[in-house]
Amino acid sequence: MQKQDLVVFIAAILIVLILAFVIKPIMNGEPVLPEQGSGTISLPSKIPVPEGSSDNPYTPSVIMETTATPTQSWDGTAYNVQFVDPSTYNIE
């Protein structure tokens, strides 16, 4: 590997990192540097209940899976197979 190849490889990595950490947050309207907070997280006093039954919104749903009964592949009966001309299928 030549020195020029290594410089191009490092430049490509730097361009990808700049796109990922600087350009993308700017395009999404987010700050480039994370905001410094007090380090504490405030939780809401009341957690919102999702839409659904007001009596019991967290009723688990039961899914019944039925398995198909396997069919017997061979019933023990011998069958006659007639001759097929191999030239029909381009076989010599």
Side-chain angles (χ1 to χ4, degrees), residues 56-87:
N56 191 359
Y58 299 107
T59 304
S61 61
V62 178
I63 299 173
M64 299 290 290
E65 292 185 16
T66 58
T67 57
T69 56
T71 57
Q72 190 174 6
S73 59
W74 183 54
D75 61 356
T77 307
Y79 296 102
N80 285 333
V81 178
Q82 297 186 9
F83 175 76
V84 176
D85 185 17
S87 64

Side-chain angles (χ1 to χ4, degrees), residues 4-42:
Q4 183 181 4
D5 294 337
L6 188 60
V7 170
V8 170
F9 181 71
I10 291 173
I13 296 292
L14 289 175
I15 289 171
V16 170
L17 290 175
I18 289 171
L19 286 172
F21 292 113
V22 177
I23 304 298
K24 184 179 178 194
I26 290 173
M27 290 180 67
N28 290 337
E30 301 170 356
V32 176
L33 297 174
E35 298 177 5
Q36 297 295 329
S38 62
T40 60
I41 299 173
S42 61

